[in-house]
Amino acid sequence: MVDQKSCLIVGCGDIGTRLAKLLLSKGFAVWGVRRNSDLLPHGVNRIASDISVERTFSNWPVCDYVVYAIAASERTDEGYYQAYVKGLANLTTWLEKTKQNTRRLLYVSSSRVYHQQNDEWVTETSETLPLGLGQRLLEAEQLLAKSNLPSTIVRFSGIYGPGREYLVKQVKAGYGVVKSNDPYTNRIHQDDCAGVLAYLIEQDNQGVELAKCYNGVDHQPARLSDVVGWLASQLSIEPTLPLSRTSNSSKRCSNRLLLDLGYQFKYPDYKAGYQEIIDKGIYKNAPFPR
């Protein structure tokens, strides 16, 4: 009889739920942790818990793999501290105290830990001197590195897909004029976020040695003006208003390490992912964000 592998997904929201479904299809036993566990899909063992409160861990199972995919409840320093630093500290302390034989912990981080802003190519070994909220993300990474747990960090950037169509809706409403600030942007479809995490677990389970960190981005960093220009063309829109939100950051994140491991993207560039959103009209039923 084949030993069934198991995975505990802490912060089983959108990405975590997609990952859970992939793992279930591969025969894994899956536990999902979120405040409202009623939102977890069929087949996932439900745990209602607040990661920032350590005493709630008592009913958590022993699992081969743990994925930490928390999203901060608010975009403030305190919100990021509670979600990424305190929450991860609570988790690693619990894993080490209970001496669980966890094969690997995957931590979902962000490209915000990179500070580069002059169109540089960025790899997993590039210097990290972030400002603002990125400091909390890096603090959590450093905390994990100091633990005794086998772990891998995945730094996602520009996650988009159904439910995350902000840019499409902006362009549809006429916001697509990029002025002097035209940064390079990096993206990944949310299906590939889950796909990357599942692939890393699969590779580790097969005995493949994983790197300490991977950039979770697609093949094509692109100028913001190129992305919105292409979207406008596909939507038959002539933008007349400036984009309401741009970034001072401009870097090109490399996914070479992930490709060398053998991961094959479902959506290799922004055109492939956004085209499906446009073709299916996914963005039409959601209100335009203000």
Side-chain angles (χ1 to χ4, degrees), residues 6 10 37 41-42 80 83 123 150 176 239 272:
S6 57
V10 183
S37 62
H42 175 74
Y80 269 54
T123 71

Side-chain angles (χ1 to χ4, degrees), residues 93-159:
T93 298
W94 174 72
L95 289 171
E96 291 175 332
K97 279 185 178 179
T98 54
K99 301 185 185 304
Q100 295 203 31
N101 190 28
T102 300
R103 295 185 58 168
R104 185 161 297 271
L105 189 158
L106 298 181
Y107 167 55
V108 174
S109 186
S110 165
S111 65
R112 293 187 69 167
V113 301
Y114 298 120
H115 62 281
Q116 291 79 359
Q117 56 183 2
N118 294 311
D119 303 346
E120 302 98 326
W121 276 100
V122 172
T123 71
E124 291 81 357
T125 59
S126 294
E127 188 176 35
T128 50
L129 297 170
L131 299 173
L133 299 177
Q135 293 177 315
R136 290 302 190 185
L137 296 166
L138 184 60
E139 185 179 351
E141 289 189 9
Q142 293 169 338
L143 181 153
L144 183 59
K146 293 177 182 178
S147 74
N148 295 319
L149 299 167
S151 61
T152 293
I153 296 164
V154 184
R155 294 168 175 164
F156 289 130
S157 181
I159 301 173

